Amino acid sequence: QLWRYGHLCLRSLLYNSFTNGDVVLDSLFEPVYWLVDHVTRWFGVVFVALVIGLTSSIVAIVYICLLPLILQTYTPAWICWHLAYGHWNLIMIVFHYYMAITTSPGHPPQAKDNLTGISICRKCIAPKPARTHHCSICNRCVLKMDHHCQAAWLNNCVGHYNHRYFFSFCLFMTMGCIYCSISGWEMFRDAYAAIEFGRRALSLGLFHTYYHPPPPTFSFRERAFHKSVVYLWVLCSSVALPLGALTLWHAALITRGETSIERHINKKERQRLQKKGKVFRNPYSYGSCDNWKVFLGVETPRHWLTRVLLPSSHLPHGTGLSWDLPPCVTEQRAPLLAI
């Protein structure tokens, strides 16, 4: 009886009618959530330093090793092409990367009186406009949040005000890596062959005899040149593949007028309405071409040059609090979720 009484008292202290398997699983994973919220945010600082160091090393190799060789061996037309395109691509990468990591993605106001007709964030207990989501790493809501970017080495949330900078950085970095891989292919092949031949000669112990000529001897500068070219090509080629896939993924989302978070939400909504015989329509999509115009901020034809092909710090359309029809949209679509 004492055992049963003690057991009953213990259960009465720990009993909760809302407890189930999901609650227990969330409680067990609470240390993991804490680790994500407090530790992984420092990973972004390491990634920023890493991307700056790797990019600087590639630029240094190009200027120290490859550029003098290009000036000596290439024709004037090819020299002008490499100088013009290479420096333009580099400027676009540096500009958009700097803007992406320093520009705030945008946050809704904390005052509840400023906005009406919107929901309230359960974590911030503050107004939550349309397309706004709460970032657990930043611990605040972000306007038109796409994701908290650490994989692309930004250490910043990607939202309304820096989404274009993030995508442009990925695009121009991919273009730069492909440019270096294609331009340096012949140099990479020759450098790798020289390193491999010298290594095999040393491993086989080929000495200077009548049948075996001596292996070529390279100076320290030549060996450093060969290894630098191999390092440049391998790094650029390995970065171009995943970063190019990420760029294509975001390009598809932009074409559909969605963010990474909205893709999952719209997919579930599309499946739910499909069971009811209805068709889902994204209220923030204006067509493929107009979606790109809205995203890039192209309002006139000259903006393709001044805002897309040249560095531009223009603001995106709207404030992120409301989503009115942009002026560059040719046709107004009915703002219906389903028909």
Side-chain angles (χ1 to χ4, degrees):
Q1 290 179 350
L2 291 176
W3 169 254
R4 291 179 178 178
Y5 179 74
H7 183 65
L8 180 62
C9 290
L10 183 63
R11 290 195 59 186
S12 64
L13 293 175
L14 302 178
Y15 177 76
N16 188 342
S17 59
F18 296 100
T19 302
N20 53 27
D22 294 334
V23 175
V24 174
L25 188 62
D26 289 341
S27 301
L28 293 176
F29 274 90
E30 193 65 30
V32 179
Y33 299 149
W34 182 92
L35 185 67
V36 171
D37 292 341
H38 295 82
V39 177
T40 56
R41 67 181 61 183
W42 295 102
F43 291 170
V45 179
V46 179
F47 291 153
V48 169
L50 185 63
V51 69
I52 293 176
L54 293 177
T55 306
S56 300
S57 65
I58 295 298
V59 174
I61 291 174
V62 170
Y63 275 102
I64 297 174
C65 299
L66 301 186
L67 187 58
L69 186 62
I70 290 175
L71 296 176
Q72 294 174 4
T73 58
Y74 283 30
T75 61
W78 277 111
I79 292 175
C80 294
W81 155 253
H82 283 290
L83 291 177
Y85 178 81
H87 286 90
W88 170 78
N89 202 344
L90 178 61
I91 291 173
M92 298 298 284
I93 291 174
V94 173
F95 172 79
H96 288 101
Y97 183 68
Y98 174 79
M99 295 299 294
I101 63 178
T102 57
T103 302
S104 173
H107 307 284
Q110 298 297 317
K112 300 180 178 61
D113 299 334
N114 295 341
L115 300 174
T116 58
I118 60 176
S119 60
I120 300 297
C121 179
R122 293 179 295 178
K123 298 181 179 180
C124 296
I125 315 299
K128 186 179 179 182
R131 311 186 79 177
T132 299
H133 299 279
H134 185 87
C135 178
S136 59
I137 298 179
C138 297
N139 197 24
R140 61 188 307 183
C141 286
V142 177
L143 298 175
K144 192 190 171 185
M145 179 179 176
D146 188 88
H147 66 286
H148 187 93
C149 187
Q150 290 175 334
W153 310 320
L154 294 187
N155 192 31
N156 192 12
C157 256
V158 177
H160 179 61
Y161 289 104
N162 64 349
H163 193 184
R164 179 177 65 88
Y165 297 131
F166 162 76
F167 176 78
S168 298
F169 161 70
C170 293
L171 175 63
F172 289 111
M173 179 63 81
T174 303
M175 292 172 56
C177 291
I178 294 175
Y179 164 73
C180 291
S181 299
I182 296 177
S183 301
W185 167 247
E186 295 293 337
M187 299 179 187
F188 163 76
R189 189 172 59 180
D190 296 340
Y192 183 80
I195 295 175
E196 191 66 19
F197 182 78
R199 187 177 300 172
R200 289 182 179 179
L202 292 176
S203 62
L204 295 176
L206 297 180
F207 299 101
H208 178 44
T209 62
Y210 181 79
Y211 299 100
H212 297 285
T217 58
F218 299 107
S219 63
F220 174 79
R221 184 175 181 179
E222 291 174 336
R223 291 196 302 269
F225 175 83
H226 294 156
K227 293 180 180 180
S228 298
V229 172
V230 172
Y231 164 78
L232 179 144
W233 192 89
V234 172
L235 180 61
C236 291
S237 301
S238 59
V239 171
L241 293 177
L243 191 58
L246 179 66
T247 304
L248 292 177
W249 164 256
H250 280 277
L253 294 178
I254 295 169
T255 304
R256 296 195 297 262
E258 298 176 334
T259 62
S260 299
I261 297 178
E262 290 174 349
R263 176 188 176 275
H264 300 286
I265 298 175
N266 293 345
K267 182 179 179 180
K268 293 181 180 179
E269 188 68 14
R270 187 178 295 107
Q271 294 174 352
R272 185 184 70 84
L273 293 176
Q274 188 177 6
K275 295 179 181 179
K276 297 182 179 181
K278 299 181 180 180
V279 178
F280 173 79
R281 175 181 293 174
N282 183 8
Y284 308 112
S285 178
Y286 311 105
S288 301
C289 183
D290 288 336
N291 286 338
W292 278 101
K293 289 181 179 179
V294 173
F295 178 77
L296 298 174
V298 176
E299 299 176 359
T300 60
R302 65 183 181 87
H303 285 166
W304 289 105
L305 173 63
T306 59
R307 294 187 174 185
V308 179
L309 298 181
L310 294 177
S312 176
S313 58
H314 65 277
L315 296 177
H317 170 73
T319 61
L321 304 177
S322 61
W323 300 97
D324 301 328
L325 188 69
C328 60
V329 176
T330 56
E331 297 180 2
Q332 183 173 1
R333 294 173 174 263
L336 299 177
L337 289 176
I339 56 174

